[in-house]
Amino acid sequence: MCRVDLCLTPAQGPLILVEVLPAGSVLSFLLARGATEVWTVPGPKVARLLAEELGPDTLLLGEAEGFPLEGFHGRPSLLDLEGTQVAGKRAVLVAPLLNQSLLPGEEEVYLAGFRNAKAVMDLFQRAQPTLRPAGAPEPLLSAVVAAGFLQKKLCPKAPTSLATALLRAFPDPQEALFQSLEGQALHRQGRTEELAWASLIGVDPVVPRLAGVRFFPKEAFGLSQDRYAQRFIPWNA
């Protein structure tokens, strides 16, 4: 029976990492529109280091207080990226919470949100995965509600969990996103429409799967601590 991991404990078997905001929906959006791979990184320095290795055509996405980071191609915004040509490109996404929500050694990892929920349900209809909301052990509200939605669909007979209880409190996904701290941050920036786009269910027919991890040791790269970058590709069962 699938369970929801709120404590960041090592997953036994397949892990579905759930994030809607701020970066999870953008990642599935990019792969659904033809990006060949999307890397998640903890910060801009690792993003720049990785982009140097991947080549000049790599799309760099990151933001601070609603503005694109210096030298980046843009911010991770569903609306901004709607008119961007991403097919055939690699992308590097500054997504610290998403990046830090995986444990070393976890390999069978998939990414889910509302936008690709149908594809996730099709892939896992006979499996018993672990669902982990991004940010655990202090998970994002939007991610917990999305995890409850997926748990209810994948394991309808599972006992009530915090995630499914929260789902009952927010039957409208967009309302859950708006009430979350991450949604309120977008609202203050005048980006409320982003919440509507992120709450759409089943519009991205792709399941991102972890396909590799790049280690950046602090001594070799002048970092404050060892860092990891995670490579996601579109997965077809």
Side-chain angles (χ1 to χ4, degrees), residues 20-22 63 65-66 140-143 170 173-196 198:
V20 181
L21 302 171
E63 66 178 304
E65 298 182 357
L140 301 170
L141 172 61
S142 58
F170 295 105
Q174 189 172 340
E175 180 62 22
L177 301 191
F178 184 81
Q179 294 295 339
S180 68
L181 292 176
E182 52 276 17
Q184 284 294 300
L186 289 172
H187 175 65
R188 288 192 297 272
Q189 296 167 12
R191 298 164 64 185
T192 304
E193 194 174 352
E194 292 268 355
L195 307 181

Side-chain angles (χ1 to χ4, degrees), residues 23-41 50 54 58-62 76 81 86-95 98-99 102 109 111 206-214 228-235:
S25 298
V26 170
L27 200 158
S28 67
F29 177 97
L30 290 168
L31 291 180
R33 279 151 184 77
T36 58
E37 60 185 30
V38 180
W39 291 80
T40 60
V41 297
L50 183 59
L54 296 177
T58 303
L59 186 65
L60 270 172
L61 299 172
L81 290 167
V86 301
K89 291 188 176 182
R90 295 165 165 168
V92 176
L93 183 62
V94 176
L98 190 57
N99 179 269
L102 293 180
V109 179
L111 183 69
V206 63
V207 181
R209 178 172 180 171
L210 182 69
V213 176
R214 170 74 165 88
Y228 297 86
Q230 297 136 352
R231 175 177 175 256
F232 287 88
I233 61 171
W235 174 254

Side-chain angles (χ1 to χ4, degrees), residues 17-202:
L17 180 58
V18 184
E19 187 181 277
V20 181
L21 302 171
S25 298
V26 170
L27 200 158
S28 67
F29 177 97
L30 290 168
L31 291 180
R33 279 151 184 77
T36 58
E37 60 185 30
V38 180
W39 291 80
T40 60
V41 297
K45 185 167 185 178
V46 175
R48 294 186 179 98
L49 289 168
L50 183 59
E52 288 178 6
E53 295 182 4
L54 296 177
D57 291 336
T58 303
L59 186 65
L60 270 172
L61 299 172
E63 66 178 304
E65 298 182 357
F67 295 97
L69 293 168
E70 183 178 356
F72 279 53
H73 297 99
R75 58 188 183 178
S77 160
L78 292 169
L79 272 68
D80 292 358
L81 290 167
E82 175 65 14
T84 303
Q85 178 58 250
V86 301
K89 291 188 176 182
R90 295 165 165 168
V92 176
L93 183 62
V94 176
L97 281 175
L98 190 57
N99 179 269
Q100 295 162 19
S101 294
L102 293 180
L103 295 170
E106 291 180 326
E107 297 180 351
E108 191 178 357
V109 179
Y110 306 83
L111 183 69
F114 289 119
R115 291 184 60 92
N116 71 335
K118 185 178 184 303
V120 171
M121 288 184 281
D122 289 343
L123 182 60
F124 286 97
Q125 56 185 329
R126 295 183 181 86
Q128 298 295 310
T130 296
L131 295 156
R132 179 185 297 155
E138 297 180 3
L140 301 170
L141 172 61
S142 58
V144 175
V145 173
F149 176 84
L150 289 166
Q151 186 185 33
K152 197 72 174 175
K153 295 294 185 180
L154 292 171
C155 305
K157 296 182 180 180
T160 299
S161 65
L162 174 62
T164 53
L166 276 174
L167 179 66
R168 286 200 297 267
F170 295 105
D172 179 357
Q174 189 172 340
E175 180 62 22
L177 301 191
F178 184 81
Q179 294 295 339
S180 68
L181 292 176
E182 52 276 17
Q184 284 294 300
L186 289 172
H187 175 65
R188 288 192 297 272
Q189 296 167 12
R191 298 164 64 185
T192 304
E193 194 174 352
E194 292 268 355
L195 307 181
W197 282 45
S199 68
L200 296 175
I201 295 174

